[in-house]
């Protein structure tokens, strides 16, 4: 059985590096998804999720309810990402090279993927920040409605509604773009 | 409410570039390890020592008490050194139970009970 957030947080407070690593495995990807929802930039999301996670471990004693570590951590991510936006330091576009690896897909395939990413990014930009968080946490990270509700401090019904509208909007926009091609 | 089918968001999956994502994770792990190291360095050394010292002291005290009790049971006279050891054992056990070491006066009282009075 997976160890609870509470157990892991208490172990981190006692200086247990393995527990911190377990939390990292559990939350770094969702942190990135939330950072991406706020900034719209993958490169910035990578930086923000790292900084926010490290900061959370530094301030672990401030996490008043260890059972709600996930929500507390995601709030740190959100704040950091918003600060980045406020300072106008977000990298709006990423060079193709950033995601091209030497033994990765062919340049043509990579161009297509980059194009798809741009279309998706444009479609996500039409959603509210919360809708983006919900759809990325659900459809990319595989979190269930209840998990999202708990960690975003929203009623489950609201999460379902956000997901429904976000998916519908994404399909409309991506469908229109497809028809225009 | 029928949910529309999920849009394919795998283009945003960090693991589509495993090398890059592995680098992000390892960099985070390294920074977290430094934070934990710093945290452990900053901890009160007495708290760290007491974590392992208490069980050792408690065990030592119990052994001394058992030896004392065995002495009484087999009817051997209690030599001065044995009395002193027993008093020290009681003192150590009490110190372990209350979570801090004995004071100088308590130690003196255990070693030279008459002089301390």
């Amino acid at each position: 059985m997976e160890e609870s957030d509470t157990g892991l947080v208490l172990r981190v407070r006692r200086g247990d590096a393995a527990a911190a690593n377990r939390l990292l495995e559990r939350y770094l990807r969702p942190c990135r998804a939330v950072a991406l929802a706020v900034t719209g930039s993958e490169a910035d999301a990578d930086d923000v999720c790292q900084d926010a996670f490290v900061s959370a471990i530094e301030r672990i004693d401030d996490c008043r309810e260890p059972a709600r570590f996930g929500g507390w951590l995601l709030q740190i991510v959100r704040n950091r990402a918003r600060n980045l936006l406020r300072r106008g330091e977000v990298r709006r576009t990423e060079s193709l090279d950033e995601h091209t690896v030497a033994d990765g897909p062919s340049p043509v395939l990579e161009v297509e993927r980059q194009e798809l990413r741009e279309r998706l990014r444009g479609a996500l930009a039409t959603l509210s920040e919360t809708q983006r968080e919900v759809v990325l946490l659900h459809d990319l990270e595989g979190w269930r409605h209840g998990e999202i509700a708990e960690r975003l401090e929203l009623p489950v019904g609201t999460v379902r509604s956000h997901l429904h509208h976000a998916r519908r909007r994404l399909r409309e926009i991506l469908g229109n773009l497809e028809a225009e091609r | 409410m029928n949910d529309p089918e999920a849009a394919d968001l795998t283009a945003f999956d960090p693991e589509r570039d495993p090398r890059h994502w592995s680098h992000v994770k390892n960099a985070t792990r390294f920074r977290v390890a430094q934070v934990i190291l710093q945290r452990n360095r900053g901890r009160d050394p007495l708290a760290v020592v007491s974590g392992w010292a208490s069980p050792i002291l408690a065990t030592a005290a119990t052994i001394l008490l058992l030896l004392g009790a065995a002495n009484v049971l087999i009817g051997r006279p209690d030599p001065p050194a044995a009395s002193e050891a027993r008093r020290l054992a009681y003192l150590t056990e009490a110190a372990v139970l209350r979570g801090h070491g004995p004071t100088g006066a308590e130690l003196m009282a255990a070693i030279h009970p008459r002089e301390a009075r």
Side-chain angles (χ1 to χ4, degrees):
Chain A
M1 210 174 90
E2 281 214 326
E3 188 169 355
S4 68
D5 284 359
T6 305
L8 292 172
V9 167
L10 296 179
R11 280 172 57 196
V12 172
R13 283 183 180 165
R14 292 196 297 267
D16 186 336
N21 205 34
R22 294 278 295 279
L23 287 172
L24 182 146
E25 289 295 338
R26 192 172 291 176
Y27 283 109
L28 197 63
R29 278 185 61 121
C31 284
R32 184 185 183 273
V34 168
L36 180 63
V38 178
T39 64
S41 153
E42 290 181 88
D44 287 314
D46 287 346
D47 291 346
V48 168
C49 73
Q50 275 191 62
D51 291 344
F53 190 85
V54 174
S55 167
I57 297 298
E58 278 171 342
R59 296 157 48 189
I60 197 79
D61 293 325
D62 297 343
C63 178
R64 278 178 292 182
E65 293 177 79
R68 294 188 175 180
F69 172 79
W72 177 75
L73 171 65
L74 294 184
Q75 190 55 48
I76 295 176
V77 173
R78 220 170 274 126
N79 291 342
R80 289 206 162 231
R82 285 177 188 156
N83 285 342
L84 202 70
L85 275 182
R86 227 171 276 135
R87 294 198 304 263
E89 291 171 3
V90 168
R91 287 166 278 193
R92 276 291 161 205
T93 54
E94 295 158 278
S95 76
L96 199 56
D97 295 341
E98 274 185 84
H99 291 284
T100 307
V101 289
D103 52 356
S106 71
V108 175
L109 189 60
E110 192 54 39
V111 168
E112 281 177 7
R113 282 186 181 173
Q114 179 70 7
E115 205 180 312
L116 174 65
R117 265 202 299 274
E118 286 306 324
R119 284 165 49 206
L120 273 172
R121 196 175 290 132
L124 282 171
T126 67
L127 306 176
S128 71
E129 190 182 289
T130 310
Q131 285 175 337
R132 285 195 293 271
E133 283 188 22
V134 169
V135 77
L136 284 169
L137 289 172
H138 192 280
D139 288 348
L140 184 62
E141 296 308 318
W143 279 14
R144 293 185 296 268
H145 295 102
E147 291 175 302
I148 298 173
E150 186 190 318
R151 286 152 187 172
L152 266 54
E153 296 186 351
L154 294 171
V156 176
T158 307
V159 170
R160 284 185 193 281
S161 164
H162 279 314
L163 183 65
H164 178 86
H165 291 296
R167 281 177 169 180
R168 199 176 61 190
R169 185 91 183 112
L170 288 179
R171 296 207 74 80
E172 277 169 11
I173 294 171
L174 295 172
N176 289 342
L177 285 171
E178 203 56 50
E180 286 168 16
R181 279 156 67 93
Chain B
M1 183 162 61
N2 282 335
D3 268 341
E5 204 182 318
D8 181 5
L9 297 174
T10 51
F12 292 129
D13 188 338
E15 285 174 71
R16 72 181 189 284
D17 184 346
R19 198 185 297 178
H20 174 71
W21 183 240
S22 170
H23 172 75
V24 171
K25 276 171 73 174
N26 287 337
T28 315
R29 248 184 228 123
F30 177 73
R31 290 173 62 190
V32 164
Q34 283 182 314
V35 171
I36 298 286
L37 198 66
Q38 202 69 33
R39 188 180 178 86
N40 287 343
R41 267 193 208 132
R43 285 175 75 197
D44 177 6
L46 280 177
V48 176
V49 170
S50 70
W52 53 262
S54 296
I56 293 172
L57 285 174
T59 308
T62 308
I63 290 170
L64 282 171
L65 281 173
L66 287 174
L67 285 175
N71 242 354
V72 170
L73 281 176
I74 60 175
R76 281 166 59 183
D78 199 11
S83 308
E84 188 178 301
R86 203 172 54 244
R87 283 195 299 276
L88 281 171
Y90 282 128
L91 185 61
T92 310
E93 192 180 35
V96 169
L97 288 175
R98 71 181 179 221
H100 60 80
T103 63
E106 284 171 333
L107 278 171
M108 285 305 292
I111 298 166
H112 301 293
R114 283 184 200 130
E115 288 171 28
R117 265 181 228 141

